[in-house]
Each structure stands twice: as C-alpha cells, then as structure tokens.
Amino acid sequence: MVSHDPDRLPLGDAHARLITERRSTRAYLAQPVPEETLRHIVEAARLAPSGANLQPGSFIAVQGEVRQRLCEDLVQSWRAGAQEGEDYAYFPQPMPMVLRRRQVASAQALYSALGIAREDRGGRDEQFERNFRFFDAPVALVVTIDREFGPGGYMDLGMSLYGLMLAAQSRGLATCAIGAMASFPGLIRRHLGLDENAHIVCGIALGHADPAAPVNTTRTTRCKLDEFFRTLG
Ligand SMILES: Cc1cc2nc3c(=O)[nH]c(=O)nc-3n(C[C@H](O)[C@H](O)[C@H](O)COP(=O)(O)O)c2cc1C
C-alpha cells in the first residue's frame, strides 16, 4: 500500500490536486455554507454522466428541526442496538480476507489519529456515533436512489458523489460520505417523508474542515498502481 501523495502527480495539474487533497473529513467548523455555494456543489453531482442518461439518485439537504429529530432518533436507535435491513448490500458478505485487511487498516488510521486504542470499545463507539450526527457538519445531505435501480444505477450515482466531493474541495470545503446511514433506511424515510421507493444510499457531511481536530489528521493508503492497473497485449 502507498500513501496517495499529491507530489506523485504532475505539478500544476489543478484537477489532480483536488483529487489528492480530498480526504474524508470528520470534524467541521460551525461556519455555515452559503446556499448558493451548496447549489453550485450539488450542480456538479447533477452533471455527472450516467448510462443512457438515466440520472439515478437524488440529494436532500436536511436542516433545522428535521435534522435534529433525525439525528436524535438515529443515535438512540444505534445506541439501543436496533437493526434494520439495508436497502442494498454495501459490503461483501462474507468479507474476503484481503478486503478485511483494508477495512481494518482504514479503521486503524482513524482510531490512531484519535489516540483511541484497539480495545477501547467506548472510544470507538463514541466516534462511530458521530456518523449519525453527520459529524456536526453545517450541511447534512441524504442520498437516495429509486428502488428500481440495480448495480448500474449505484455506479452512476457514485460518479455524482465524487463530482460533488471534488466540487466541494475546489471551493475549500470538505466532505465525508456516510454509508453508516444506510443501516437505518426506514427510520430515515419516516423522518424525511419519503416513500418506500426511495432507497437510502448514504449521507454526506459537508462544510469547512476543522484544522485543529485530531480526527482530520487521519490518512489512508491505496493499493499500488500495479495491483490496480495492468497492461495486456
Ligand atoms: C460511499 C462511502 C461511504 C462511506 N461511509 C463512511 C462512514 O459511514 N463513516 C466514515 O467515517 N467514513 C465513511 N467513508 C469514508 C471512507 O472510510 C474513506 O473514504 C476511506 O477510508 C478512504 O479515505 P479518504 O476518503 O480519506 O481518502 C465512506 C466513503 C465512501 C466513499
């Protein structure tokens, strides 16, 4: 595994810089994101390509009392150990060992940035719970997809998600996708007044990164290029 290092990409390549500087950010300043900026960022998601231009998915900015009640309910449900079936299977079941190692490495990167020891279950739970508060980011987005879509639709929607992340990055804003939200699809639909057709894909936290927060020093790695890409013929 190698660190994804901006210096490995050609200097002056502004797009490469956005890609290499983006990180999942899990602590935010209270500074609000102007509505116009948010709209520009979501526009990048809207313009993503999709197979046959089907344009799956939608983004909902959850605010005010609705957000407060949603987060309280998510936290309570998670603390109570409530279980709901996900609308889609995010992780492979069972998880092959090579992927399990990557999962553990990313968790270790996160918890070591926070100084949380492997056996500190309480500390880990406290961090995990923050998923359900959108890491207190000023913007809390919920991403949905119509139930008719299969893997192709999710692939298309992933392009929108990344477009949104890079658009945020280009405006000096940070993001974190929150797949943990997909654990409580029924609860989220109830709070947002969505019908059963709206499958819950993930949340997204968006805002100004808190530069002083230890959690934001988390650094992940990637597999080597020759594991990811090869040339044949
Ligand atoms: C679709 C998606 C869902 C994710 N869900 C979560 C999550 O629920 N909680 C979390 O802390 N990080 C979540 N992440 C962040 C990943 O852990 C992170 O992208 C990965 O470890 C690589 O780190 P980086 O984004 O800083 O490069 C998610 C990322 C993606 C793309």
Side-chain angles (χ1 to χ4, degrees), residues 4 22-24 26 90 106 110 131 135 161 165 176-180 202 220 222:
H4 56 141
R22 181 214 57 81
R23 311 216 178 286
S24 290
R26 298 179 179 88
Y90 192 102
S106 80
L110 173 63
N131 278 293
F135 301 111
L161 286 169
M165 288 176 182
C176 188
I178 310 174
C202 65
T220 53
R222 297 293 186 269

Side-chain angles (χ1 to χ4, degrees), residues 147-164:
R147 70 180 318 149
E148 288 82 11
F149 282 99
Y154 281 82
M155 178 169 73
D156 292 340
L157 188 52
M159 300 196 203
S160 289
L161 286 169
Y162 199 31
L164 179 141

Side-chain angles (χ1 to χ4, degrees), residues 4-224:
H4 56 141
D5 173 358
D7 296 334
R8 293 168 64 87
L9 291 159
L11 283 177
D13 183 341
H15 189 246
R17 200 154 276 284
L18 289 181
I19 290 171
T20 53
E21 290 180 358
R22 181 214 57 81
R23 311 216 178 286
S24 290
T25 298
R26 298 179 179 88
Y28 293 86
L29 302 176
Q31 189 180 342
V33 175
E35 172 81 20
E36 200 194 344
T37 307
L38 175 58
R39 285 184 171 273
H40 277 128
I41 289 169
V42 174
E43 183 71 352
R46 189 176 73 93
L47 294 177
S50 57
N53 205 19
L54 294 187
Q55 306 167 64
S58 71
F59 290 68
I60 303 166
V62 189
Q63 298 174 325
E65 281 184 18
V66 177
R67 172 174 174 176
Q68 202 180 322
R69 284 197 296 266
L70 169 67
C71 291
E72 278 165 13
D73 209 359
L74 284 166
V75 167
Q76 290 315 320
S77 300
W78 183 74
R79 283 186 188 165
Q83 304 256 327
E84 274 193 48
E86 293 176 344
D87 287 333
Y88 69 108
Y90 192 102
F91 290 124
Q93 284 290 358
M95 184 85 87
M97 194 44 77
V98 64
L99 301 185
R100 176 78 189 130
R101 279 197 213 100
R102 291 180 183 176
Q103 186 182 36
V104 168
S106 80
Q108 274 169 353
L110 173 63
Y111 295 123
S112 74
L114 285 162
I116 296 173
R118 197 185 175 85
E119 56 284 357
D120 179 2
R121 182 69 200 264
R124 287 175 169 236
D125 283 356
E126 222 170 274
Q127 171 59 28
F128 197 79
E129 193 173 294
R130 305 197 67 250
N131 278 293
F132 300 117
R133 301 187 194 282
F134 294 87
F135 301 111
D136 298 315
V139 178
L141 296 168
V142 169
V143 182
T144 70
I145 192 168
D146 280 0
R147 70 180 318 149
E148 288 82 11
F149 282 99
Y154 281 82
M155 178 169 73
D156 292 340
L157 188 52
M159 300 196 203
S160 289
L161 286 169
Y162 199 31
L164 179 141
M165 288 176 182
L166 295 183
Q169 185 75 21
S170 75
R171 285 172 171 76
L173 292 163
T175 53
C176 188
I178 310 174
M181 291 283 168
S183 307
F184 295 105
L187 183 157
I188 294 174
R189 274 192 287 273
R190 270 198 311 282
H191 278 275
L192 304 192
L194 301 172
D195 66 34
E196 289 288 316
N197 263 354
H199 276 186
I200 305 300
V201 179
C202 65
I204 303 178
L206 169 77
H208 295 269
D210 178 350
V215 72
N216 289 341
T217 65
T218 304
R219 295 292 176 266
T220 53
T221 58
R222 297 293 186 269
C223 64
K224 293 200 180 81

